[in-house]
């Protein structure tokens, strides 16, 4: 037996095994783009966030990997000019889609926006769902922007014109939410019924409306990460109501030391949820700095819970914004355990807790927060 061939075969075994266990394969071609064009592929698989990227070669790219669920949610951004992921995600060519344990393909002449998908049953199901409810949020927003941009220069300055566009936009959103509830009721075994109910429920859950629909979903759907998160949000609606004891938690600070909310009893505490990437959060930080300096010596504390998943970004934001109070995070992004405990679905979000540990207000920021603090510490 040739020993060299035997050793080479043994070395290749892990690679071959890995290739065989990849549960999805995603190929694509966008025109004839080459370096520095990059594709960034981020996806959420049953509560776990993953990310990948690749440079295009003659427009072609490929991603493969393993997912535990059959309904992963992805964001794909194409950077045409090499300006980086941030530019591509927030100002560039971006699409969002669902996929499963499949081999599927994307093709386009020029951009992700005009891409066609083939080979993904999950993608096709998601498209049918979106058609049934009136489109994605992005599509509804795009329609409103097109309506506004179609106006004349005079109309764009006319409050009546602007109000009419806004009213149509809000009506489409209300109609879309109604259709999501209807879809969830009519399709209790469909994964997209859970998607519909989760989105329609929002942050301030109408428990009387949402709970029966949730209970009617299949056991398998309720056992998914999204299903468990929605159950936590339903429960949090009661746990975080004004007058209730603030749910206690312990999470690590920037240097890995556990910090408990219980340790602040006797203080007025603002439990504030934020992230380095959240524009409105960062805009509010100067006001929080001012309020903290004004009332800290009188017994005011802030415990900021970050929904970041990249530690360096979190630490840089704390330093840049000069945030001198307590910070904690488990760096799990939207799956932050404290965020899920409090039912947080959007940031900024906050809960003001009195010296006895009871919630006395939530969602305060800017002048309403300032007025409340002035009332407490008068």
């Amino acid at each position: 037996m040739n020993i060299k061939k035997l050793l080479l075969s043994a070395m290749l075994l892990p690679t071959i095994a890995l290739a065989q266990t990849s549960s999805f394969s995603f190929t694509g071609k966008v025109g004839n783009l080459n370096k520095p064009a990059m594709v960034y592929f981020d996806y959420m698989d049953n509560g776990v966030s993953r990310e990948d990227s690749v440079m295009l070669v003659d427009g072609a790219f490929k991603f493969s990997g393993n997912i535990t669920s059959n309904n992963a949610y992805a964001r794909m951004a194409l950077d045409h000019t090499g300006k980086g992921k941030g530019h591509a995600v927030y100002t560039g060519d971006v699409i969002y889609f669902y996929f499963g344990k499949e081999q599927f393909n994307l093709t386009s002449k020029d951009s992700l926006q005009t891409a066609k998908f083939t080979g993904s049953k999950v993608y096709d199901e998601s498209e049918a769902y979106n058609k049934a409810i009136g489109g994605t949020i992005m599509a509804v927003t795009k329609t409103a922007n097109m309506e506004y941009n179609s106006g004349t220069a005079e109309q764009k300055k006319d409050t009546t014109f602007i109000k009419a566009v806004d009213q149509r936009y809000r009506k489409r959103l209300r109609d879309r939410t109604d259709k999501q509830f209807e879809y969830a009721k009519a399709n209790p075994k469909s994964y997209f019924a859970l998607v519909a109910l989760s989105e329609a429920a929002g942050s301030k859950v109408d428990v009387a409306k949402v709970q029966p629909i949730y209970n009617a979903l299949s056991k398998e759907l309720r056992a998914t990460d999204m299903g468990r998160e929605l159950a936590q949000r339903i429960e949090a609606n009661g746990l975080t109501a004004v007058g209730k004891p603030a749910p206690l938690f312990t999470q690590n600070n920037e240097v890995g030391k556990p910090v408990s909310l219980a340790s602040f009893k006797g203080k007025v505490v603002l439990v504030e949820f934020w992230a380095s990437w959240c524009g409105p959060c960062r805009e509010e930080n100067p006001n929080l700095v001012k309020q903290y300096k004004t009332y800290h010596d009188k017994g005011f504390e802030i415990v900021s819970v970050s929904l970041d998943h990249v530690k360096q970004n979190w630490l840089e934001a704390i330093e840049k914004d000069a945030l001198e109070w307590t910070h904690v995070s488990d760096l799990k992004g939207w799956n932050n355990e404290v965020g899920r405990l409090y039912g947080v679905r959007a940031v900024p979000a906050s809960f003001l807790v009195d010296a006895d540990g009871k919630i006395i207000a939530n969602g305060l920021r800017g002048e309403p927060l300032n007025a409340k603090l002035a009332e407490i510490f008068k």
Side-chain angles (χ1 to χ4, degrees):
M1 180 179 289
N2 189 315
I3 299 298
K4 288 185 177 180
K5 287 185 178 180
L6 179 62
L7 290 173
L8 181 59
S9 298
M11 291 172 64
L12 288 174
L13 278 175
T15 302
I16 294 171
L18 179 62
Q20 290 176 340
T21 58
S22 292
S23 59
F24 77 87
S25 177
F26 176 26
T27 58
K29 193 168 191 310
V30 183
N32 301 105
L33 294 173
N34 285 290
K35 184 178 180 179
M38 291 279 294
V39 173
Y40 297 94
F41 181 47
D42 302 332
Y43 57 98
M44 184 70 73
D45 169 34
N46 207 24
V48 179
S49 178
R50 307 185 188 281
E51 56 185 271
D52 203 348
S53 62
V54 67
M55 187 171 290
L56 273 69
V57 178
D58 193 29
F61 65 84
K62 181 178 181 179
F63 295 103
S64 62
N66 295 292
I67 54 176
T68 59
S69 67
N70 197 41
N71 296 279
Y73 185 57
R75 177 186 68 192
M76 176 169 280
L78 173 56
D79 177 12
H80 291 252
T81 57
K83 292 183 179 179
K85 183 175 181 178
H87 177 83
V89 168
Y90 295 109
T91 62
D93 187 9
V94 185
I95 57 173
Y96 297 81
F97 58 93
Y98 283 90
F99 69 95
K101 296 177 180 179
E102 310 162 305
Q103 293 184 350
F104 59 104
N105 185 58
L106 172 156
T107 55
S108 174
K109 292 182 179 179
D110 50 15
S111 72
L112 297 180
Q113 298 292 326
T114 59
K116 302 294 183 184
F117 280 81
T118 55
S120 174
K121 182 180 178 181
V122 173
Y123 176 84
D124 292 342
E125 289 175 352
S126 70
E127 287 297 284
Y129 156 67
N130 284 323
K131 183 177 180 180
I133 65 169
T136 65
I137 286 290
M138 286 78 77
V140 174
T141 302
K142 183 178 180 180
T143 298
N145 288 335
M146 289 175 62
E147 288 182 354
Y148 173 76
N149 290 326
S150 68
T152 64
E154 290 75 18
Q155 285 178 316
K156 291 178 181 179
K157 298 176 183 178
D158 183 0
T159 55
T160 302
F161 173 77
I162 296 171
K163 185 177 180 180
V165 171
D166 182 66
Q167 286 178 336
R168 288 193 295 273
Y169 170 67
R170 294 183 184 280
K171 184 179 186 306
R172 290 188 192 105
L173 290 181
R174 291 193 299 271
D175 291 345
R176 181 177 181 273
T177 298
D178 290 341
K179 290 177 181 177
Q180 285 179 311
F181 280 120
E182 292 171 8
Y183 190 95
K185 288 180 182 178
N187 302 276
K189 294 183 180 181
S190 167
Y191 180 78
F192 293 100
L194 176 57
V195 172
L197 185 60
S198 178
E199 186 178 341
S203 298
K204 297 181 179 179
V205 180
D206 182 344
V207 176
K209 185 174 185 178
V210 174
Q211 186 80 66
I213 305 174
Y214 176 82
N215 291 342
L217 295 177
S218 71
K219 183 185 297 185
E220 291 75 17
L221 289 176
R222 286 183 277 123
T224 64
D225 182 75
M226 185 184 292
R228 295 194 304 272
E229 187 279 330
L230 180 53
Q232 286 180 300
R233 211 179 334 145
I234 293 170
E235 184 179 11
N237 188 75
L239 292 176
T240 60
V242 171
K244 294 286 187 178
L248 297 178
F249 61 84
T250 299
Q251 200 158 87
N252 288 352
N253 65 11
E254 311 98 303
V255 296
K257 181 180 178 181
V259 176
S260 68
L261 180 61
S263 66
F264 292 92
K265 191 165 185 180
K267 306 280 188 178
V268 174
V269 183
L270 182 71
V271 180
E272 182 234 2
F273 294 87
W274 76 302
S276 65
W277 44 259
C278 169
C281 303
R282 303 293 293 273
E283 290 171 7
E284 174 68 5
N285 279 342
N287 182 59
L288 292 181
V289 169
K290 181 179 179 181
Q291 300 308 309
Y292 184 74
K293 289 180 178 179
T294 300
Y295 299 112
H296 177 58
D297 290 341
K298 297 180 179 181
F300 178 53
E301 296 285 352
I302 300 176
V303 177
S304 285
V305 183
S306 171
L307 301 191
D308 279 284
H309 68 276
V310 178
K311 186 173 184 178
Q312 189 60 32
N313 294 346
W314 175 40
L315 298 181
E316 287 177 357
I318 292 172
E319 182 178 3
K320 185 174 182 179
D321 293 2
L323 311 181
E324 299 178 354
W325 50 81
T326 301
H327 295 270
V328 299
S329 182
D330 58 13
L331 298 174
K332 293 181 180 178
W334 285 109
N335 284 311
N336 183 290
E337 292 182 7
V338 182
R340 290 179 64 142
L341 174 65
Y342 275 69
V344 172
R345 286 277 292 175
V347 287
S350 64
F351 301 83
L352 189 61
V353 181
D354 69 12
D356 295 322
K358 291 185 178 180
I359 297 173
I360 55 176
N362 54 52
L364 296 182
R365 51 193 287 229
E367 286 308 313
L369 172 63
N370 302 350
K372 187 66 176 179
L373 293 175
E375 174 190 324
I376 293 171
F377 294 107
K378 60 185 177 181

